Amino acid sequence: MTLDLGALPVVDVDDSSTWPQLLGDLVQGLADDARGAGHHPESYQDLPLHEHEETVLRCLDGRLVRARHVTRLLDHEKEAIRAQGLRLLTADLVNDRLDQAHRLGYLSDAEYESLRVNNCTVRGHRGMGRREDQVCLTLSTAAMVHNSHGGYRLLSYWGGEAIYWNHCDNDRDLAPKLQSLGTPVIVTALLDLATPAASRHLIFPSMVHVLVGKALGYGPADADVFYRASIPAHRIESIVSPGDEDYDRFPGLPPR
């Protein structure tokens, strides 16, 4: 997929050569201070760095940040992301996905009805309220290299957590069905994390923490992004599945 980014440069937390100089100098100084204070690289999340987060985000002004969303999709859903981008998790999105899967014959009438009344966006159900009205991504490929088990369910069960969460452990009928649908997918997106409107997004542990972790040489350093805006199609960099080189380079991920 060819992406027209115009003149906006892309920052990748895994590649320090993409960091603007001011950001690189700040992060390297913080990493040097941490080493001098005897902090171990794997303890990067515990460093007292939060006061620097606003400065780090200002350094990203005029740039986009690469991030990845892992999930399991049917073919028409991949095409929808290419055409429309990534939508916020809402009840409407979940119901649209279920409606289309049912209409195209992926779900029986009984499976469709069960998933419509028992998913994490249905009022009164034990659910994932913290996941609604946002897109969840990770900043580093470390999630696929060092922590592949963390996203294994997301890649193994169709529908995302909102659909599969109530069924993957205790539903002997729907769990295998959800595992049979679709293919694992890594969606790489480019995020605006610096504009004033971006302040509503949540980065955990923080951008400064993951960058300092990388500067300390700790490969698994990563951060989750809870992006509280839809991501338009022109900021979808790639969508890859098993058989694509950019998926298969992570051998710990589900092969199908």
Side-chain angles (χ1 to χ4, degrees):
M1 178 179 181
T2 302
L3 185 71
D4 181 9
L5 295 178
L8 291 178
V10 176
V11 172
D12 191 321
V13 301
D14 292 320
D15 183 359
S16 60
S17 71
T18 68
W19 305 356
Q21 183 172 349
L22 184 62
L23 176 63
D25 291 346
L26 171 62
V27 168
Q28 191 58 58
L30 294 172
D32 290 343
D33 290 344
R35 287 192 193 94
H39 290 286
H40 296 289
E42 61 269 24
S43 301
Y44 74 99
Q45 295 188 44
D46 300 324
L47 294 170
L49 299 174
H50 289 289
E51 65 182 282
H52 302 285
E53 180 74 346
E54 185 176 344
T55 301
V56 164
L57 294 178
R58 282 201 303 269
C59 291
L60 298 174
D61 189 28
R63 292 171 167 80
L64 299 173
V65 178
R66 182 172 285 122
R68 294 156 188 89
H69 174 78
V70 298
T71 188
R72 191 175 183 94
L73 299 175
L74 297 164
D75 287 344
H76 68 275
E77 295 174 321
K78 296 181 192 178
E79 294 308 314
I81 291 175
R82 291 189 177 100
Q84 304 168 16
L86 283 166
R87 296 165 58 188
L88 296 171
L89 174 59
T90 64
D92 285 344
L93 173 61
V94 168
N95 289 331
D96 284 350
R97 295 185 68 186
L98 293 174
D99 291 348
Q100 290 183 54
H102 179 236
R103 185 172 62 252
L104 293 171
Y106 293 106
L107 297 174
S108 69
D109 291 347
E111 291 164 344
Y112 169 71
E113 292 299 331
S114 180
L115 292 170
R116 282 277 295 197
V117 301
N118 186 9
N119 68 71
C120 291
T121 67
V122 175
R123 186 180 300 276
H125 276 269
R126 177 179 67 86
M128 303 296 292
R130 292 175 298 172
R131 292 289 192 260
E132 291 189 56
D133 297 316
Q134 57 196 8
V135 181
C136 298
L137 310 101
T138 57
L139 286 178
S140 174
T141 57
M144 275 71 82
V145 176
H146 302 282
N147 188 31
S148 60
H149 65 279
Y152 210 87
R153 281 191 176 183
L154 287 164
L155 293 165
S156 299
Y157 292 87
W158 173 76
E161 289 177 320
I163 290 176
Y164 76 65
W165 192 262
N166 291 340
H167 304 278
C168 60
D169 287 328
N170 55 15
D171 192 323
R172 289 183 295 179
D173 295 321
L174 274 173
K177 180 58 179 281
L178 295 174
Q179 285 183 296
S180 75
L181 295 177
T183 55
V185 169
I186 302 171
V187 181
T188 301
L190 304 176
L191 309 181
D192 176 6
L193 296 175
T195 61
S199 62
R200 66 184 183 275
H201 309 311
L202 174 64
I203 306 171
F204 181 82
S206 73
M207 178 62 75
V208 66
H209 279 91
V210 68
L211 291 173
V212 170
K214 296 295 186 184
L216 287 169
Y218 188 61
D222 195 10
D224 293 321
V225 180
F226 303 97
Y227 200 75
R228 291 170 177 149
S230 294
I231 301 169
H234 68 274
R235 288 189 177 166
I236 302 299
E237 189 175 43
S238 66
I239 301 173
V240 298
S241 295
D244 296 319
E245 182 179 355
D246 280 344
Y247 183 97
D248 293 342
R249 66 191 178 107
F250 305 113
L253 302 183
R256 58 181 178 82

